[in-house]
Amino acid sequence: MTRPLPSPTARAPRWYHGWNIVAVGSLLTLLAVGMRLGIGPFFLPITEDLGFSRSVLAGIVAVGMIVYGLGMPLAGWLVGRWGTATVLTLGVAIVAVSVAWAVNTSSAQGFLWSFGVLMSVGLAFTSPVAMTPVISRWFTRQRGMALFFLSTGSMAGMAVMTPVLAAAIEAYGWRIAMIGFAAALTAFALPAAWLVVRDQAPEHTDLRPEDIATRPATAPSSQPAPGLRHAIATVPFWNIALGLFACGFSMNLLGTHGVPMLMDHGFDAHSSSLGIGLIGLVAIFGTLVLGRLSDRMPKRQLLAAIYGVRGIGFFVLVAVGTHWELYTAASIGGIVWAGSIALSSAILADVYGVRLVGVLYGLTYLSHQLGGMVSAWLGGWAYEAYGTHWIAFGSAGVLLLGAAAVSLQLPRAGAGALRTA
């Protein structure tokens, strides 16, 4: 027997639990991504304490980026089999073990396996890819905004974690700072995973009664949602992957080499950390605007604008010479720093359906981490080889402008617009 549709006049619940899940995901992302992209404050203290060259530590960070990316599709697959809470718990346990190992090793090989490999796996399991499927299930009408708020955690991680970690390292050393991070992640993630996150969403998600009443009038797509193998062979999947490669290249370059680059250009450690953190701080407020726009205008156009402005910002950032220029460039760049990952995951859900979004997001995010791996290595090698940061940061600007052009080729709507690569 068919259940009757709710009356358009029925009262909606005063608070939708899906927003609690978004809040938990955002804070978890703040910690996990903040640590993964906040390696900058650790970079010079670790090289000086352990005697690593910049290229050696940059290589370890690069390995960590690719392992982090490889862990993403695995995390998305495990969430579908074991549930979100179980995967988050496993990730926290792996991070705790990796930190205990990293702070007690002094060899490059030990640091590679603990910090570069093991911690990256744990952070992948606590990353946004673990939260994207459950949030996509809980939201239909405001999916773009919800995923934007999730990405706010990444920006907050840069804004909050970079100066906090820098202060903790200065006061207590990099080892205590890393232990403190693991303790904070454990204290927050475990209760949140088991008390707040619920994989099963309501039948009508966040749709309003009037949306539910009018939904049957909407014509269904004439083409069924593709399977995983077919989805990977389509052009939009690769367009999104190429854009996320540029995104990962630029974000990890800034997170790993932004602070050292500014210090090499004459800024002190505090001003450098504050300048990089300001990008993430402004991005938090930028998501409030971009999140609303994402459900009101074509997502591909908004994604292209974000990539384009961000690309120009990289050329500006490496050229600044005064504090006011640094803070101005960081503030303007921060407006569009958020959103590329949120929009990419929202487009994946719109084009391929909620069922595949976890695995597809993980696979495209692997491209993001490949970009991060390349930039982590290039930033250290190019400076040591040529004594300039223009090679790495200029490459980021060019890639982002290319990503803007590629994003404009994405389909406007659902699976009916797909074509095979």
Side-chain angles (χ1 to χ4, degrees):
M1 182 176 178
T2 304
R3 293 181 58 185
L5 292 172
S7 168
T9 59
R11 293 185 62 185
R14 297 183 65 181
W15 180 256
Y16 185 55
H17 183 73
W19 292 114
N20 297 332
I21 299 176
V22 170
V24 163
S26 299
L27 291 173
L28 184 61
T29 300
L30 182 153
L31 292 170
V33 178
M35 181 62 182
R36 188 70 285 168
L37 296 181
I39 184 62
F42 285 94
F43 200 85
L44 294 180
I46 289 176
T47 57
E48 294 169 359
D49 185 32
L50 299 182
F52 300 159
S53 67
R54 288 195 186 193
S55 58
V56 167
L57 184 55
I60 292 174
V61 174
V63 171
M65 289 299 107
I66 190 59
V67 172
Y68 185 58
L70 289 171
M72 291 286 188
L74 176 60
W77 181 75
L78 289 176
V79 164
R81 291 181 63 88
W82 295 350
T84 307
T86 301
V87 174
L88 292 177
T89 301
L90 178 60
V92 169
I94 294 173
V95 169
V97 171
S98 69
V99 168
W101 185 1
V103 299
N104 285 288
T105 188
S106 58
S107 68
Q109 184 177 12
F111 204 74
L112 169 65
W113 284 104
S114 58
F115 182 83
V117 176
L118 196 59
M119 181 183 290
S120 298
V121 173
L123 292 176
F125 285 12
T126 57
S127 71
V129 74
M131 297 299 300
T132 295
V134 65
I135 290 176
S136 296
R137 283 194 294 269
W138 274 80
F139 288 89
T140 302
R141 180 174 60 90
Q142 297 177 295
R143 180 179 293 154
M145 184 182 298
L147 291 173
F148 251 98
F149 286 160
L150 177 65
S151 73
T152 302
S154 300
M155 303 306 103
M158 179 181 293
V160 175
M161 295 292 285
T162 298
V164 166
L165 289 172
I169 292 169
E170 183 177 358
Y172 305 107
W174 68 268
R175 289 181 173 86
I176 297 299
M178 198 173 287
I179 292 172
F181 160 77
L185 179 67
T186 302
F188 172 76
L190 294 185
W194 294 101
L195 299 179
V196 179
V197 176
R198 303 173 190 170
D199 285 317
Q200 188 63 40
E203 180 182 0
H204 298 297
T205 64
D206 65 327
L207 293 173
R208 296 169 298 192
E210 57 267 30
D211 299 322
I212 300 170
T214 59
R215 206 178 185 195
T218 303
S221 173
S222 59
Q223 180 174 340
L228 178 60
R229 184 173 298 179
H230 175 65
I232 294 174
T234 57
V235 172
F237 173 85
W238 289 103
N239 285 350
I240 291 173
L242 289 171
L244 286 178
F245 178 90
C247 177
F249 187 101
S250 61
M251 291 186 75
N252 194 57
L253 178 68
L254 192 67
T256 304
H257 297 285
V259 171
M261 180 271 291
L262 292 172
M263 292 178 67
D264 289 332
H265 288 182
F267 294 95
D268 60 81
H270 175 74
S271 299
S272 301
S273 297
L274 182 60
I276 299 302
L278 185 60
I279 296 175
L281 180 63
V282 174
I284 295 173
F285 300 98
T287 57
L288 300 177
V289 177
L290 296 175
R292 292 185 178 276
L293 289 176
S294 69
D295 290 321
R296 289 171 170 78
M297 67 176 289
K299 293 181 176 66
R300 64 192 181 104
Q301 294 180 7
L302 185 58
L303 182 60
I306 289 172
Y307 281 142
V309 176
R310 193 189 297 178
I312 296 172
F314 263 80
F315 293 111
V316 174
L317 186 64
V318 76
V320 297
T322 65
H323 285 80
W324 75 265
E325 290 175 344
L326 169 61
Y327 299 146
T328 301
S331 299
I332 295 174
I335 296 173
V336 294
W337 189 252
S340 54
I341 296 175
L343 279 171
S344 297
S345 57
I347 291 171
L348 286 170
D350 290 345
V351 173
Y352 300 103
V354 174
R355 182 178 63 87
L356 292 177
V357 68
V359 176
L360 290 177
Y361 176 40
L363 290 171
T364 54
Y365 206 89
L366 175 58
S367 175
H368 183 281
Q369 294 312 112
L370 284 170
M373 178 193 71
V374 173
S375 68
W377 168 80
L378 181 63
W381 173 82
Y383 183 77
E384 287 190 341
Y386 298 100
T388 178
H389 291 283
W390 274 106
I391 295 174
F393 282 78
S395 297
V398 171
L399 286 170
L400 287 166
L401 294 177
V406 167
S407 297
L408 290 174
Q409 307 305 313
L410 290 167
R412 299 188 181 193
L418 294 179
R419 65 184 191 276
T420 303

